Amino acid sequence: MRSEAEVNHAVEKYADMIQRICFVHLKNQADTEDVFQNVFLKYMLHDEAFCDEEHEKAWLLRVAINSCKDYLKSFFRRNVISLETVQEMEAEAPKEYREVLEAVLSLPEKYKDVIYLHYYDGYSAAEIGKILGKRENTIYSLLSRGRKLLKEKLGGDEIGE
Amino acid sequence: MANKVKDALDHIQADVEQKESTKQFLSESRRKGRHPVRRPAVRWALAVVCLFFFLSMEAGGYFWIQMPVSYLSIDVNPSIELALNRFNKVVSVTAYNEEGEAVVNGLSLKGKGYTEAIGLVMESDAMRVYLTDQQDVVFTLAADYSRGRELEEGVERCSGHMGHGCRHVSVDMAVVSEAHAHGLSLGKYNAYLQLRQYDDGVTAEECQDMSIAEIDQLIRECEKNGGHHSGTEHGGSDEAEKEDTSSFYQGNHHQRRHHGHGGNHE
């Protein structure tokens, strides 16, 4: 088990990243908090050393993405989520970004991770492939289709390459 | 063009309160030793333990179901014995002579209820030739007290409808191993024990080759002639009597005889 200092350091360092992953997938604060805490609990219990900071970050990204997917699949979540809570976090974002966030959140699940990892974290298709355990070509096509969907929603050249 | 996706997502941040509550949650989890996430080795070990448990249960359950807990023999001239499990289903069939072999060959009795098995045996072509007025049919039952009464009623129903001088006898479970040790079915061993009360010279081997009607005939002759009871007359034979559980059983068994197609009991 990792030391308290190490875990607290990771919470400070990666909290925003994990929060964004959870937000993209779960869209409401209560669910986000559950998964958020669970990701760091897994980190605390993960004894194996990381090669470097990038390895640690990629591990946390993968755990967060998988935890969100597991949570979405769970019977409880599927049956209790209410329509009112879906947009609650989105509404808290500044007005000028709300449209973009809305477009990202409305993407089908399979595009969300690649869009986030590419546009926010700047990962290449090869790196995303390693994190998500998918082939590079698959990532390229997911990125391409995801980008197309975003363009359709936002119009024109809103999205950079 | 500015990447609006990055800018928009940049505004999603974990607040201080959330970070602190997470740290507190992790600290409490550490203190309570709450580890919902199990390591693969532990998970595998648990899976193996569960698998072993279910296999043991299955094997145990199989033996529990297959274990004979009561016995029913059908003796005319053919001598057949059915071993029954705790659900009164046939788990094994033993023929004690060639005539018995001829009857059970071609019959599928395993897994059948005991009354159905009796019906199949008694209605088989090989058995029918023995069911004459000159032959006796003896059903002999050995079961513990809890299921003895139910089995007895079932056998009584079957034998009551058959006629042919059918009768049924209940004996103690301890007699089963003695009968098998002498190579006789329960019914024939029981008849042998009765005959031996009058004639201590008779052997189990001799009874093996006799039909129930023949043994009964000998018993009746001995009774008529006021035959001697060796156990009381000869000290030497007392030893043999003491070793037999039958000497205990003889006072405990009961016997019912049906004449013709009616349900008359003696």
Side-chain angles (χ1 to χ4, degrees):
Chain A
M1 195 187 292
R2 291 177 192 281
S3 70
E4 193 157 2
E6 200 179 354
V7 173
N8 286 347
H9 178 254
V11 171
E12 289 297 336
K13 191 172 174 183
Y14 297 111
D16 292 344
M17 178 183 84
I18 304 300
Q19 178 75 356
R20 276 189 287 272
I21 292 280
C22 292
F23 169 75
V24 166
H25 285 284
L26 307 174
K27 295 182 264 186
N28 84 68
Q29 188 59 27
D31 293 348
T32 299
E33 274 177 18
D34 283 351
V35 176
F36 184 88
Q37 291 188 344
N38 198 33
V39 169
F40 285 107
L41 182 63
K42 283 177 180 170
Y43 176 83
M44 182 174 87
L45 298 170
H46 184 74
D47 286 333
E48 285 169 39
F50 295 109
C51 305
D52 51 32
E53 207 171 290
E54 270 308 304
H55 183 208
E56 183 180 58
K57 185 183 172 189
W59 185 89
L60 277 164
L61 278 171
R62 195 165 53 244
V63 168
I65 289 167
N66 289 339
S67 297
C68 288
K69 286 179 178 169
D70 288 346
Y71 196 85
L72 286 172
K73 274 189 278 182
S74 74
F75 175 83
F76 177 77
R77 155 81 196 194
R78 282 204 310 270
N79 286 277
V80 301
I81 186 161
S82 66
L83 289 172
E84 290 77 28
T85 58
V86 172
Q87 305 297 329
E88 113 195 352
M89 282 172 71
E90 196 185 307
E92 286 171 12
K95 202 176 175 181
E96 64 268 33
Y97 298 120
R98 212 172 290 165
E99 194 188 2
V100 180
L101 285 178
E102 215 174 284
V104 173
L105 295 183
S106 66
L107 284 174
E109 281 298 314
K110 59 183 173 181
Y111 301 120
K112 283 179 180 175
D113 292 325
V114 288
I115 291 292
Y116 170 81
L117 293 171
H118 182 68
Y119 285 109
Y120 190 84
D121 277 329
Y123 283 113
S124 68
E127 289 168 329
I128 297 171
K130 279 181 190 166
I131 291 171
L132 299 180
K134 288 182 173 146
R135 290 197 306 189
E136 195 177 332
N137 284 342
T138 310
I139 303 300
Y140 276 124
S141 69
L142 286 172
L143 261 176
S144 165
R145 272 179 273 153
R147 191 184 296 130
K148 195 180 163 202
L149 283 171
L150 278 180
K151 276 183 182 172
E152 282 169 13
K153 286 175 197 293
L154 299 170
D157 299 323
E158 294 284 326
I159 306 299
E161 289 299 315
Chain B
M1 182 183 279
N3 188 336
K4 287 204 170 185
V5 174
K6 184 170 173 29
D7 292 344
L9 285 169
D10 241 347
H11 284 84
I12 307 297
Q13 289 174 351
D15 56 34
V16 178
E17 196 184 330
Q18 188 175 352
K19 288 182 199 172
E20 288 310 311
S21 70
T22 300
K23 286 177 190 171
Q24 199 180 338
F25 163 78
L26 295 172
S27 172
E28 280 172 19
S29 296
R30 184 189 297 277
R31 204 173 52 247
K32 289 176 187 168
R34 208 169 53 181
H35 302 153
V37 184
R38 294 193 179 89
R39 298 172 64 188
V42 178
R43 232 181 276 174
W44 274 107
L46 272 175
V48 169
V49 168
C50 287
L51 184 68
F52 182 76
F53 176 75
F54 284 117
L55 287 176
S56 307
M57 288 287 287
E58 205 169 310
Y62 179 79
F63 286 115
W64 188 77
I65 289 169
Q66 289 299 311
M67 186 195 286
V69 293
S70 39
Y71 297 84
L72 171 68
S73 82
I74 305 171
D75 294 274
V76 192
N77 193 6
S79 194
I80 298 158
E81 194 171 286
L82 309 175
L84 311 177
N85 67 7
R86 56 195 76 237
F87 302 110
N88 300 334
K89 302 269 185 196
V90 177
V91 288
S92 73
V93 182
T94 312
Y96 282 92
N97 53 16
E98 282 178 16
E99 294 88 340
E101 290 267 6
V103 171
V104 296
N105 276 347
L107 286 182
S108 174
L109 301 174
K110 278 192 184 178
K112 299 273 192 314
Y114 71 106
T115 50
E116 188 185 354
I118 291 172
L120 287 170
V121 168
M122 300 307 285
E123 285 163 17
S124 68
D125 293 338
M127 181 61 102
R128 274 185 190 166
V129 297
Y130 296 100
L131 302 181
T132 64
D133 289 340
Q134 283 75 43
Q135 292 285 7
D136 284 349
V137 181
V138 180
F139 296 94
T140 310
L141 184 65
D144 63 26
Y145 181 77
S146 60
R147 51 179 62 81
R149 188 63 219 145
E150 183 194 343
L151 287 168
E152 221 172 82
E153 282 171 5
V155 172
E156 195 173 337
R157 272 198 309 277
C158 293
S159 60
H161 287 88
M162 284 169 194
H164 305 295
C166 283
R167 67 178 193 271
H168 71 268
V169 181
S170 290
V171 299
D172 196 273
M173 274 298 279
V175 179
V176 175
S177 53
E178 284 175 19
H180 294 174
H182 285 88
L184 293 173
S185 69
L186 270 177
K188 212 170 256 190
Y189 184 69
N190 182 46
Y192 155 70
L193 291 174
Q194 287 181 53
L195 179 59
R196 213 183 62 175
Q197 286 184 84
Y198 301 104
D199 179 4
D200 60 353
V202 71
T203 64
E205 287 74 27
E206 284 169 338
C207 287
Q208 255 172 354
D209 299 327
M210 287 191 258
S211 69
I212 280 287
E214 286 169 335
I215 300 172
D216 277 356
Q217 179 63 33
L218 287 174
I219 293 169
R220 277 195 294 274
E221 279 171 16
C222 288
E223 283 172 342
K224 204 162 113 186
N225 298 333
H228 67 278
H229 190 300
S230 62
T232 53
E233 286 186 13
H234 304 290
S237 296
D238 265 350
E239 289 300 314
E241 287 281 335
K242 278 174 193 168
E243 283 170 14
D244 269 333
T245 325
S246 51
S247 54
F248 153 79
Y249 132 80
Q250 290 294 338
N252 292 313
H253 82 286
H254 71 271
Q255 184 167 311
R256 291 179 183 175
R257 184 187 289 267
H258 302 276
H259 293 292
H261 292 271
N264 297 331
H265 298 157
E266 270 184 8

